[in-house]
Every structure is written in structure tokens, then in C-alpha cells.
Amino acid sequence: MIFTQTKLAGVHVIDIARYQDERGYFGRMWCERELAAQGLSTRIAQVNVAVSQRAGTLRGMHYQRAPFAEVKIVRCSRGAVYDVIVDLRPSSPTYCQWVGIELNPENGSMLYAPEGCAHGYVSLRDDTELSYSTSQFYAPEAAHGVRFDDPAFDIRWPVAASIISAQDCSWPDFKK
């Protein structure tokens, strides 16, 4: 696995080290030892899948509040997404900053979001499938979010969102 630190503290792009031959390639998507060696969480409580039927579907920006704060590792197995992480940790040097990257099956990249960060994405292709592992079980009482278009973050989405849930549109303005 290849780990690249992003501009956000604790947020990493994880690429698969591909061992290629005439059959295709082999690589690791998960290795407890390699994650631990990077100082990253190795706990998996759930593995989730989300399918967006139409390009322009936006989901997010979601996180769980303590004591159910979660780490997410996100990968796109079909289609493509622009995946965004927002740092909501007040003690972080990158507080209220965001990073976004394209995830798709061709690049095989994954995005590691530490506890205290909000996560969201917009689908760039029809019939897009995203899978992500979380370090905590889903806790509805801890589920929270920030608006995808909140001026506190000024996220620059590469495409206009055409499908968004009522909940994702109704998060209040973020207060720093």
C-alpha cells in the first residue's frame, strides 16, 4: 500500500501497490500492519456500500459525533466520485479546511478520513458504487453533518449537484 499525506492533518490517499503481469494486477486494499505502521486506525466495525444511479448525486457532508466518532476508508469500485473531507477538529492545524480527490476504479485510490472529519462526495458518472469501511458502528443519535455548500468551507465541487437529500440540504450554517 502506498500512503500519501494530503494537505489536511491525518487525511491520506491510499493507493494500491500493483503487482502486474499478463493476467492483470494484484494488490492490497487493506493491511492491518501497514496501516498501523503509518499510525492509522486499523479497526473495522462496518463495511458499507452506496450506489448513486445518476451523475450529480451528492451525499454529505457526514460524520458521527463523539463518543461514536469514526474513521472512514473510502473506495470507488464502479463509476467515479469527487470525494471531499472537511477537517472539523478545532485543535487541528487544518481546522475548517477541505481536500477533494477523484476516486474511480481506474486509479484505485482510497481516501482515509480520521475521526472528527466530515465526508461527502458527488458522483461523476451514472451507476456509481462507493464502498467504505468505518471504525465505529452507525449510531443514529451521533449522526451529524455540515452543508455541502456552507460558506465556512467554500468547497469547490467539479459538477453541480442535481440530486441531494433534504437532510443534506438542511444542515445549519457551521459555527467556527
Side-chain angles (χ1 to χ4, degrees):
M1 298 171 72
I2 303 163
F3 297 86
T4 306
Q5 172 69 52
T6 69
K7 70 178 186 175
L8 296 186
V11 176
H12 293 78
V13 174
I14 304 172
D15 288 302
I16 297 171
R18 296 179 183 205
Y19 300 95
Q20 200 143 355
D21 64 19
E22 66 279 356
R23 300 168 292 172
Y25 75 87
F26 172 86
R28 287 190 195 101
M29 290 179 16
W30 175 261
C31 180
E32 182 178 3
R33 287 183 189 139
E34 292 185 46
L35 286 159
Q38 297 292 319
L40 305 178
S41 175
T42 61
R43 175 179 158 81
I44 296 178
Q46 288 183 193
V47 178
N48 305 304
V49 63
V51 174
S52 298
Q53 296 175 341
R54 299 279 176 242
T57 301
L58 193 141
R59 298 176 188 253
M61 303 293 297
H62 304 145
Y63 66 97
Q64 288 196 164
R65 292 183 278 204
F68 303 102
E70 62 188 354
V71 169
K72 289 183 181 178
I73 299 179
V74 185
R75 183 172 192 269
C76 182
S77 54
R78 184 175 68 232
V81 298
Y82 185 71
D83 203 274
V84 173
I85 306 295
V86 174
D87 188 343
L88 298 178
R89 301 166 294 176
S91 62
S92 171
T94 55
Y95 179 56
C96 290
Q97 295 179 34
W98 64 276
V99 66
I101 69 162
E102 183 172 334
L103 302 178
N104 60 53
E106 294 80 27
N107 67 27
S109 294
M110 297 175 280
L111 197 55
Y112 179 97
E115 291 180 8
C117 292
H119 169 255
Y121 60 91
V122 65
S123 57
L124 301 175
R125 300 179 196 160
D126 289 347
D127 195 28
T128 290
E129 182 177 276
L130 196 76
S131 61
Y132 58 98
S133 58
T134 61
S135 63
Q136 293 290 337
F137 296 104
Y138 176 67
E141 68 277 14
H144 202 64
V146 295
R147 227 174 40 256
F148 71 97
D149 61 351
D150 193 312
F153 311 115
D154 192 30
I155 299 169
R156 286 173 247 116
W157 298 97
V159 297
S162 56
I163 302 171
I164 311 167
S165 75
Q167 179 185 26
D168 288 345
C169 289
S170 65
W171 297 115
D173 283 349
F174 185 76
K175 306 276 192 264
K176 290 185 185 181

